[in-house]
Amino acid sequence: MPSLHEVQTGFLSHLMGGNTVSVEAWVLADGLTPAARMQIYRNNLYTSLSEALAAIYPVIQRLVGMDFFRQTARTYIGQQPSRSGNLHDFGQAFAIFLEHQPYLHELPYLPDVARLEWAWHKSYHAAESTPLDLGTLASVPAKNYESIRFLLAPSARLVQSAYPVLRIWLVNQDDYIGDPAVHLDQGANRLLVIRQGTEVQLQELGEGEFLWLEDLAQGQTLGDSLLRCGSAEPGFDLQTALHKHVHQGTLTEIQT
């Protein structure tokens, strides 16, 4: 008799298109052949995962069309099966997958749109957090400022693209009213995706502000991050950025 692990592994392999001979031997017919029963399971798996991807990436689906999206999703599922019991975790690698699809090279902005949609999805489902207290920041001795490290809110995500992905995202929302035209030469986007209450906001950032938050998210000290930000954007105003991101809850904790 096979072990439980062997049954589970064989069952999953079958669902994802692997060798099914031994698995079908473990399935009772009871009115349907084992192959027919397993096909029902496979169809349900691909349908549920495809629907999960469509819920996370509605703009991608709108851009390529429903039928094309379903076909692409099916290929993705076969290559990147879900490894979590939570469907909210499925689809993280979709942007990288899109980058490697030769039939999508005429839509070079598509992977970055997917990154923005994944950031929106993760921000929406992120844990709650408490904004940093300005009093806590004020209590840090001035001599320690350069060594401060900030923690960003769980819902804060940074997205950068050479394409106007914010415009692409906006004109493909169901409630959008206005000119739908998008010009790919409109310029790059540097975005902060963050949840305020129950609403996810997409905020455009300057180069210095983006690099500053990116460094903080990677655990850089305030002093080290300012060197890079000042080089990229000499006019970067740290005081304004600090006030803004403390007030709106982007920053939640300091470490000295």
Side-chain angles (χ1 to χ4, degrees):
M1 291 292 294
S3 67
L4 176 60
H5 176 72
E6 290 172 330
V7 172
Q8 291 173 331
T9 302
F11 188 79
L12 179 59
S13 175
H14 169 86
L15 293 181
M16 304 312 299
N19 187 349
T20 65
V21 175
S22 62
V23 176
E24 291 179 4
W26 304 332
V27 179
L28 295 177
D30 195 23
L32 288 174
T33 66
R37 286 190 176 278
M38 296 302 290
Q39 185 61 43
I40 292 173
Y41 277 106
R42 182 186 290 115
N43 290 341
N44 287 340
L45 173 67
Y46 275 85
T47 297
S48 62
L49 292 179
S50 295
E51 290 175 350
L53 280 180
I56 297 170
Y57 298 103
V59 173
I60 298 295
Q61 179 172 261
R62 185 183 291 246
L63 290 170
V64 301
M66 183 178 297
D67 291 341
F68 191 89
F69 183 88
R70 287 175 177 170
Q71 179 182 352
T72 301
R74 191 172 185 87
T75 302
Y76 174 79
I77 293 166
Q79 295 182 12
Q80 297 284 340
S82 176
R83 301 187 183 280
S84 170
N86 186 347
L87 279 180
H88 292 323
D89 296 334
F90 181 64
Q92 181 176 2
F94 196 50
I96 297 175
F97 168 81
L98 294 176
E99 285 182 336
H100 293 87
Q101 304 311 303
Y103 51 83
L104 293 175
H105 285 174
E106 294 183 0
L107 304 174
Y109 52 84
L110 214 60
D112 285 350
V113 175
R115 290 186 177 91
L116 177 55
E117 292 205 276
W118 180 254
W120 192 103
H121 168 74
K122 294 301 288 183
S123 180
Y124 182 80
H125 292 286
E128 297 286 347
S129 60
T130 301
L132 177 65
D133 186 345
L134 277 174
T136 302
L137 182 59
S139 68
V140 177
K143 65 179 182 179
N144 295 337
Y145 280 175
E146 288 192 357
S147 62
I148 287 176
R149 287 181 169 85
F150 290 90
L151 295 184
L152 270 59
S155 71
R157 298 288 189 278
L158 295 166
V159 178
Q160 183 171 216
S161 175
Y163 302 100
V165 290
L166 178 58
R167 172 71 180 173
I168 295 171
W169 186 88
L170 286 172
V171 303
N172 284 284
Q173 298 304 299
D174 290 337
D175 59 354
Y176 178 78
I177 300 175
D179 181 7
V182 175
H183 302 286
L184 295 184
D185 59 357
Q186 284 179 312
N189 277 159
R190 300 177 186 89
L191 304 171
L192 169 65
V193 183
I194 188 167
R195 192 182 68 239
Q196 301 287 326
T198 59
E199 180 182 352
V200 176
Q201 296 185 1
L202 308 180
Q203 302 176 5
E204 290 192 81
L205 305 178
E207 184 176 6
E209 186 179 9
F210 182 91
L211 291 175
W212 177 64
L213 288 176
E214 185 177 54
D215 282 348
L216 297 184
Q218 295 173 355
Q220 296 291 324
T221 64
L222 183 59
D224 288 341
S225 69
L226 284 177
L227 289 175
R228 191 162 77 114
C229 299
S231 176
E233 185 182 327
F236 174 66
D237 186 341
L238 174 62
Q239 185 174 358
T240 298
L242 267 174
H243 185 272
K244 169 186 172 181
H245 291 288
V246 169
H247 176 73
Q248 73 176 22
T250 311
L251 307 177
T252 61
E253 190 177 331
I254 59 173
Q255 299 176 335
T256 57

